[in-house]
Amino acid sequence: MDETTIIQSVTQGDVNQYEQLVTRYHVGLIIHCERLTGDRAAAEDIAQEAFIKAYERLNEFDGSKSRFSTWLYKIATNKAIDYLRAQKKRVPTEDIELLADTAAPDYAAEEQHRVVRDAVAKLQPPTHRQVVEAYYWRGMSYQEIADDMHTPINTVRTWLRRAKEQLRSDLS
């Protein structure tokens, strides 16, 4: 059964059909949340909370704007960010991790993280550090950063590109 049919069935009262969506996305959602949090137990809890929230708001889902999986993963990502904020941790990112790998291939993972964090802290001008932290560690979109910093979205893109160039240079 396709997602559209399942969602229609659930919103019309056949709540047992929601299990098909949970089965379809359960493992991937946990993996996604674990990559964000670094904590398997928290990832399982966050994934469960995301499924519950998606179920509760399923009538708000608009299939013409996005796929269900995209919507569900966005809910989970927001919940993971909330979890990390509560724990005062940072969101790890693949791009930044790749930079750490090129910076110090012999270091342990924790040392690599420290090296990258230190390099990000030294970015100049400070707006470069702010956009890296907002985009990679807080999970904000370009538009959210632009709104938060009261600057055009293309400026945010430019700052982020320049920050990554500076990090590549500093970490190589």
Side-chain angles (χ1 to χ4, degrees), residues 29-66:
L29 197 61
I30 290 173
I31 291 168
H32 173 72
C33 292
E34 186 174 9
R35 282 181 31 199
L36 294 173
T37 64
D39 182 338
R40 177 65 179 216
E44 291 173 357
D45 291 342
I46 291 166
Q48 183 174 357
E49 290 173 20
F51 278 116
I52 291 169
K53 185 171 182 175
Y55 173 76
E56 291 172 346
R57 296 193 170 173
L58 196 57
N59 61 339
E60 297 172 21
F61 170 69
D62 184 354
S64 67
K65 291 184 179 179
S66 70

Side-chain angles (χ1 to χ4, degrees), residues 32-155:
H32 173 72
C33 292
E34 186 174 9
R35 282 181 31 199
L36 294 173
T37 64
D39 182 338
R40 177 65 179 216
E44 291 173 357
D45 291 342
I46 291 166
Q48 183 174 357
E49 290 173 20
F51 278 116
I52 291 169
K53 185 171 182 175
Y55 173 76
E56 291 172 346
R57 296 193 170 173
L58 196 57
N59 61 339
E60 297 172 21
F61 170 69
D62 184 354
S64 67
K65 291 184 179 179
S66 70
R67 295 179 46 195
F68 175 78
S69 60
T70 304
W71 185 67
L72 176 65
Y73 274 67
K74 182 65 175 171
I75 291 170
T77 298
N78 289 338
K79 291 211 165 279
I81 291 168
D82 290 344
Y83 168 81
L84 290 167
R85 285 180 180 148
Q87 300 297 312
K88 300 206 185 304
K89 293 183 182 177
R90 302 281 172 128
V91 179
T93 66
E94 292 175 13
D95 285 356
I96 298 298
E97 293 306 312
L98 291 174
L99 292 171
D101 289 342
T102 61
D106 298 330
Y107 290 170
E110 290 179 21
E111 181 65 13
Q112 290 177 355
H113 292 295
R114 186 191 60 74
V115 168
V116 171
R117 281 192 306 271
D118 290 348
V120 169
K122 294 176 185 173
L123 285 172
Q124 290 297 323
T127 53
H128 290 176
R129 176 187 49 79
Q130 292 168 339
V131 295
V132 167
E133 290 175 350
Y135 185 77
Y136 287 109
W137 295 336
R138 293 193 334 230
M140 295 173 71
S141 69
Y142 289 150
Q143 187 62 58
E144 290 169 329
I145 297 168
D147 292 345
D148 190 51
M149 296 179 80
H150 308 289
T151 190
I153 193 168
N154 286 334
T155 302

Side-chain angles (χ1 to χ4, degrees), residues 5-25:
T5 307
I6 294 170
I7 292 168
Q8 286 174 348
S9 295
V10 174
T11 57
Q12 292 172 357
D14 189 1
V15 295
N16 294 327
Q17 293 296 319
Y18 193 68
E19 182 179 356
Q20 290 184 46
L21 295 173
V22 173
T23 302
R24 188 174 293 177
Y25 295 110

